[in-house]
Amino acid sequence: MPLQRRNFLRASLAAAFAGLPGCRRGPEPEVRAPTKTPTDAAPPPSRPAPEGPPSVLILGGTGFLGPHVVEAARARGYAITLFNRGKTNPQLFPDVEKLRGDRNGDLKSIADAIAGGRRWSAVIDTSGYFPRIVRDSAALVAPATDQYVFISSISVYSSPNPEGVHEGDPVGQIDDPSVEKITETTYGPLKALSEAAAEAAMPGKTTNVRPGLIVGPGDPTDRFTYWPVRATRPGPMIAPGGPADPIQFIDGRDLATWLLECVAARHYGLYNAVGPASPVGIGDLVDASVRNAAAGAEPVWIPAEFLMEHEVMPWVHMPAWVPAASEDGGLAKVDSSKAIAAGLTYRGLEAIVADTLEWWKTLPEERRAKMRAGVSPEKEAEVLAAWAKRGAKGGKAKAAAKKKAA
């Protein structure tokens, strides 16, 4: 049974953008995402580097990926400036310079810093979703930096190639580029337009990074966390499709480390950034989760068709998984060879699972009481019972046929 693309996108967006602050719509220039990604242009000559240690201005910095970027910058000895509203985790990084404002029309603190002679080695944009917002930020910092790193998404691709997705594949289009509402149909095209807006503001000096599922400690969506946590409950648990169905993900710490490598090495252009380096199946994730939890969970492999017949949907109720034969199967075969050649490395699955579960245990009880992704225990028990009943009927039918043949 083919998986409808809207199901995949609706689920991923609902998890990734819960609580996303609304943005007022403003005048929008004629910025259109290309049908295909243009060949990376050679960057122009750099200006003299800012005095003192290398420095980064991080737009955001206190959500999920942002703190990992801060830690990666610290590890390299970079001077760090954060620009945000001060509303998400304001207690983080008390020793880091903070510029307050709002990307939707209040960039005064950045403008004042630039007017006072401030420059940064690079600007890393972890919080841009609309082309107007990205355009305004990139245009403002263009005279004060030699690199703009924009975190995009593999959702930009309009029609995932079943054999795999490459940076030059077509991206989604949108009829009204001024729309500023995240939906299952606008998210990808708006990210593509934001990439184009950044490149237009800083031609040849942008690094557009397209990650897929970002996982690990700090993930607010539970899309990967579901599996290590589910394995802590003993007894039968649904394992979707087949063990070899490919999945892709990247630990936020690995992505952040590589973003700083892009800054240090001046890697410009467009990069897919998913992992692991070698193919991994959903069975590997289920097995690693069961091993790590050591709680007696027993995977029961149930075909995608049966799960969908019982309203257990890929990605929605079975996070991180898309059936290999579905129309979205290509989104689990994204080619990151270009980023790997530019220094992207990955920690092992076992380590990610263990670290994620340990982080989960530190969360408040009320947060752990209800996961934000995955099938509910009640629904899972219902489907497991239906699958067992089907198996029992099949066994009786086989026995009857064997007896009749005898």
Side-chain angles (χ1 to χ4, degrees):
M1 179 184 299
L3 169 65
Q4 295 298 319
R5 180 172 177 79
R6 61 177 177 273
N7 291 331
F8 171 81
L9 290 177
R10 184 178 296 118
S12 59
L13 292 174
F17 297 101
L20 179 70
C23 290
R24 298 184 301 274
R25 189 167 76 183
E28 181 67 30
E30 286 299 316
V31 179
R32 286 276 179 174
T35 302
K36 284 199 172 186
T37 303
T39 302
D40 295 336
S46 298
R47 302 181 186 87
E51 294 183 4
S55 57
V56 287
L57 169 63
I58 302 171
L59 305 181
T62 56
F64 170 30
L65 178 61
H68 293 315
V69 176
V70 172
E71 295 299 341
R74 276 178 163 169
R76 284 183 173 265
Y78 278 50
I80 303 163
T81 304
L82 301 183
F83 173 81
N84 54 52
R85 299 175 301 160
K87 294 184 177 181
T88 300
N89 299 319
Q91 77 284 358
L92 292 179
F93 312 121
D95 57 330
V96 171
E97 179 189 23
K98 298 179 177 68
L99 302 178
R100 295 303 188 204
D102 191 325
R103 298 193 63 179
N104 188 25
D106 182 12
L107 301 174
K108 184 176 184 300
S109 60
I110 298 179
D112 288 347
I114 294 173
R118 290 295 300 279
R119 294 196 66 246
W120 296 274
S121 304
V123 175
I124 301 178
D125 184 348
T126 68
S127 59
Y129 303 102
F130 304 119
R132 174 178 63 89
I133 299 293
V134 174
R135 177 204 73 208
D136 290 350
S137 301
L140 176 62
V141 302
T145 187
D146 283 314
Q147 187 172 18
Y148 193 93
V149 181
F150 176 65
I151 311 305
S152 185
S153 168
I154 62 169
S155 292
V156 299
Y157 295 109
S158 58
S159 181
N161 186 328
E163 300 305 316
V165 176
H166 302 268
E167 284 88 351
D169 286 350
V171 298
Q173 303 291 307
I174 190 170
D175 291 335
D176 181 5
S178 68
V179 66
E180 292 188 355
K181 181 178 180 181
I182 296 293
T183 70
E184 67 273 13
T185 58
T186 65
Y187 171 59
L190 286 173
K191 276 288 194 180
L193 285 167
S194 296
E195 292 177 0
E199 178 64 30
M202 295 186 60
K205 297 194 294 182
T206 62
T207 307
N208 284 314
V209 179
R210 295 172 175 174
L213 180 62
I214 305 175
V215 307
D219 177 14
T221 72
D222 296 347
R223 290 175 292 178
F224 179 93
T225 308
Y226 168 80
W227 294 105
V229 173
R230 172 60 189 88
T232 62
R233 301 202 315 265
M237 64 177 281
I238 294 177
D245 285 355
I247 60 172
Q248 287 187 311
F249 50 86
I250 185 168
D251 190 290
R253 296 166 293 181
D254 295 333
L255 177 57
T257 297
W258 181 69
L259 293 177
L260 268 295
E261 175 63 22
C262 287
V263 171
R266 289 293 188 223
H267 293 311
Y268 298 98
L270 180 59
Y271 296 87
N272 292 330
V274 298
S278 300
V280 169
I282 185 64
D284 297 304
L285 174 55
V286 170
D287 290 347
S289 298
V290 170
R291 282 194 301 272
N292 188 266
E298 303 166 3
V300 177
W301 290 96
I302 301 179
E305 293 80 1
F306 187 89
L307 292 176
M308 285 189 274
E309 286 170 5
H310 289 78
E311 299 181 338
V312 175
M313 302 303 295
W315 201 271
V316 184
H317 305 109
M318 295 283 102
W321 168 72
V322 179
S326 75
E327 65 184 37
D328 283 301
L331 286 177
K333 299 177 183 178
V334 176
D335 180 13
S336 291
S337 59
K338 182 181 175 185
I340 292 171
L344 177 59
T345 60
Y346 310 91
R347 67 195 67 210
L349 174 60
E350 295 280 348
I352 299 174
V353 168
D355 291 350
T356 300
L357 188 56
E358 286 304 307
W359 163 77
W360 175 260
K361 293 176 181 177
T362 69
L363 298 181
E365 184 177 352
E366 59 269 22
R367 168 68 174 89
R368 291 182 284 114
K370 184 176 177 57
M371 300 208 75
R372 297 169 179 171
V375 66
S376 70
E378 298 77 15
K379 181 65 174 180
E380 183 181 32
E382 174 190 319
V383 175
L384 284 166
W387 180 249
K389 184 177 181 180
R390 171 174 168 164
K393 286 182 178 179
K396 289 180 180 179
K398 288 181 181 179
K402 185 176 181 180
K403 183 176 180 181
K404 183 176 180 181

